[in-house]
Amino acid sequence: MKFRIIPSKHAEANELLKIQKQAFHSDLIKYKDYHTSPASESLDYFFFRMQHSLHYSIFVDGRLAGGICLVRQTKDHNYLYRIFLGSEFQNKGLGSKILQELEKQLPKVKKWSLDTPKDNHRNRHFYEKFGYKKTGEQQVNEYLTLINYEKIL
């Protein structure tokens, strides 16, 4: 599978939001986080994030497959606010390749941070295998606690 990561276009917003909602739907049900879940995000807020962050589209074999939202903390620190792929593109080894490519495209970024659900052992293993270290945690509601991670290059 060939993939590309390119800056998102506003014309892709509807499709990206649809993919995002589908990718995070099971988390919405599990964690009952109706205020901050990517699965409950409005199109207006999605547009806002596109305008006020570094937003990328992921294309696989020429098809829109998912997206990435980065928030610049400093000139050399980015927060990986969100990364998502449509279900047909998940579990194919793309995640590692996408993160490696993202780091290659942004060589001035030396510190990366993110958070993921505490009980999502698959995500935690993935990020830890990729070099991220736990730095803390925060409870969102009675069902959801997030683990904070950082990676220093």
Side-chain angles (χ1 to χ4, degrees):
M1 286 188 181
K2 294 179 95 171
F3 71 91
R4 291 183 309 131
I5 301 170
I6 60 173
S8 296
K9 297 180 174 82
H10 286 279
E12 297 163 347
N14 279 315
E15 185 64 20
L16 283 168
L17 182 58
K18 181 179 167 188
I19 295 167
Q20 174 181 289
K21 286 184 174 202
Q22 180 260 338
F24 288 99
H25 181 74
S26 62
D27 284 351
L28 175 66
I29 302 305
K30 181 177 183 176
Y31 301 121
K32 301 176 185 352
D33 178 22
Y34 301 103
H35 301 296
T36 64
S37 171
S40 62
E41 196 167 275
S42 70
L43 183 58
D44 285 342
Y45 187 67
F46 194 87
F47 274 125
F48 175 83
R49 279 193 313 97
M50 286 179 79
Q51 293 168 342
H52 295 92
S53 65
L54 303 171
H55 208 283
Y56 298 91
S57 295
I58 303 166
F59 287 87
V60 176
D61 295 332
R63 295 176 49 213
L64 185 59
I68 301 167
C69 180
L70 301 175
V71 178
R72 178 170 281 141
Q73 304 296 302
T74 65
K75 65 181 174 114
D76 63 350
H77 175 198
N78 278 351
Y79 171 66
L80 179 59
Y81 182 72
R82 192 160 296 150
I83 183 169
F84 57 93
L85 286 169
S87 58
E88 67 187 284
F89 300 101
Q90 295 176 12
N91 303 312
K92 299 188 184 309
L94 284 169
S96 295
K97 293 175 185 170
I98 288 167
L99 286 181
Q100 288 171 342
E101 179 63 24
L102 193 59
E103 287 179 2
K104 191 165 39 167
Q105 285 188 19
L106 301 167
K108 292 182 179 173
V109 177
K110 302 300 179 197
K111 180 178 178 181
W112 293 86
S113 57
L114 59 88
D115 54 56
T116 197
K118 183 175 186 175
D119 69 347
N120 189 325
H121 299 287
R122 184 182 173 122
N123 273 7
R124 291 180 61 190
H125 175 75
F126 171 77
Y127 290 120
E128 289 167 7
K129 182 178 79 172
F130 203 67
Y132 283 83
K133 305 288 184 213
K134 180 180 173 183
T135 59
E137 58 183 71
Q138 58 191 12
Q139 187 161 358
V140 175
N141 63 30
E142 65 183 292
Y143 307 102
L144 175 61
T145 298
L146 296 174
I147 298 292
N148 305 110
Y149 282 101
E150 281 185 358
K151 179 179 180 178
I152 308 294
L153 298 178

